[in-house]
Structure formats: C-alpha cells, structure tokens
Amino acid sequence: MGLKKPPDGGWGWVIVVASFFTQFLCYGSPLAVGVLYLQWLDLFREGKGKTAWVGSLANGVGLILSPICSLCVSSFGARPVTIFSGFMVAGGLMISAYAPNIYFLFFSYGVVVGLGCGLLYTAAVTITCQYFDKRRGLALGLVSTGSSVGLFIYAALQLELLELYGLDGCLLIVGALALNILPCGTLMRPLNFSNPSPPEKEPAQYSICIEKEKSLEENISILEKGYSEEKFVRPLTMSASKQETPLPEKESATVQSKETIKHNYVTGIVLGAEETKQEMRLEAYNQPGTFKGKAMEVRPVGNELDQKEKYEE
C-alpha cells in the first residue's frame, strides 16, 4: 500500500488554510508572552529569571520533543493529533488562569501548551507535504506565516484584554480562541491509500501460448548451442581435410616421376644401342671391299620407339 500522488492543489489549499490558522491560534500567545510576563512578575513576586522560564518552556518544549511529536503524527495521523493538541493548548491556557504559583505555570503554560504547539506544528507540516509536491515550498511558506501573523495580532490582543478583563480573563479568552483549532483539525483529511489491484489470472489459452513460446525458445537455444559447437568442430575437419588432400597429389607426383625416370632410362638405353649400331655400320661401310652398310633412322611414335632401317647402296 502507498499514498496517492500529491494533487498539488484542490483540497490541498484547504489544508494550507487550516494549517495557517492552526499556527496562528497556537503560537500567538506563547510568542507574545512578553505581555503576560510583566503581569506574572507583579502577581507572584518572583525573580525575573525564574518568571522568564514560563515563556522559554512554552517555546522550547515543543522543539525539544519534536521526535516524539513526529512519531505520534506518523502513528495516529495528522487529524487526530491536531484535535488532541487543540484540547491541550486550550486547556493549558485556561488552567494557567488559575495558577497559584509560578511552578504551576511551568507545567500548565510551559509544558502543556508548549507540547501542544509542537504537536500542532508537526501535524500541519506533515499533512501539507502529503498534499503538495511541486508547490510544496509555497504551501509550507504560507503555513509558516501563521505563527508570525499570530505574534503581531496576539501581542495587541492580549494587551487589550488585560486592560479590559485582567490576567485571568485574558487567559480564558485566549484559551477559548484556541478551541478553534478543533475545526481546523477536522479539515485535515488524510489522503486515501491506493491499494494495488490484484493480478488478473491469465486464461488457459494464454498459458498454453506461453508454454509454446518457452518450448520454442528452448529449441532455439539448443540449435544455437549446436551451431556454436559446429563452428568449433568445422575448422578442425577442414584442417584435417587440407592435410589429407595433398597426400594423393604427392603420391601421384611420385608415381609420375618414377614413370618418367623409367621411361627416360629405357629410351636412353635404346638410343645408346642404336647409336652404337649406326656407328658400327658406318665404319663397315667406309671400309673398302666390304658390303654396303645400313643406316638406321629412329623416330619416336607415341610413347614407344619405332625403328626403321633403310638400306643405302
């Protein structure tokens, strides 16, 4: 499961307005605590440093406990945390109107109101970031101005309420105004979770086609393997054939050379014998008182010698 895509508008602008007023109502009094500080000095007759701890706790507790605040928002959501924190801020301000001493203010105004402000700030920022992506900077800037506007307005408002209703009446009215955080929290509608659709079952014919494709791929892979093996075997066979083919050529060459040598040898003997015979006949012809000699003519016909004798007178 996951959140939907941020709409960057639409109901997100309602979230921005609600978060703006949330910051305005919760941080207005703690940031303008200097107006109340003078009243507490005159009322409780404590030191300035000890009395200043009330405002310091209200502004610092929420920031110190921000990891716990973010854990609460991620666990329960922005809307429940905002509504609960609205009750905390309003209740802390109203209870502070009946504080018997400065130590009670440390808890009621410093811890309760400060923790409520920290929870409200974390919830407002978280829900705004969920609704905005591209315009997130603009949205967060508008939300953050709520506390600054509250500082200007609450400083004058608390001063006027102190003159009209006193310290107790001022805190009660400011606490009642803080209850307006509750309707702002109800407007913080969370984004719906997008449930991934379950995968559809494929029909039987599709599964058969897929099996056929798989078998075809397997056959193709087998053929490719055989082709690759043939590539490696073929050069070996070609080289072996190349080595074997010259052998008959050599054998034929040797046979031919033997035949030529034999032929030349035989012809040489015949020619030598005929030359000696012719020489002997010429010598006998030239001798006086002898018979006429015979002259021989040797003429090769084909591969054999054709000998003819011509008698000359």
Side-chain angles (χ1 to χ4, degrees), residues 73-94:
V73 173
S74 61
S75 300
F76 303 104
R79 179 187 282 178
V81 171
T82 302
I83 294 172
F84 177 76
S85 302
F87 280 114
M88 286 184 65
V89 174
L93 290 171
M94 290 179 181

Side-chain angles (χ1 to χ4, degrees), residues 12 15-24 26-27 69 73 77-79 81-82 85 116-132 136 139-140 142-144 181 184-185 188:
I15 299 295
V16 170
V17 174
S19 300
F20 173 86
F21 281 104
T22 298
Q23 300 298 305
F24 174 82
C26 73
Y27 275 106
C69 298
V73 173
R79 179 187 282 178
V81 171
T82 302
S85 302
C117 290
L119 289 170
L120 288 171
Y121 177 78
T122 306
V125 171
T126 302
I127 193 68
T128 304
C129 292
Q130 289 178 1
Y131 271 86
F132 289 91
R136 185 175 295 172
L140 291 175
L142 294 174
V143 171
S144 299
I181 296 172
C184 293
M188 293 181 180

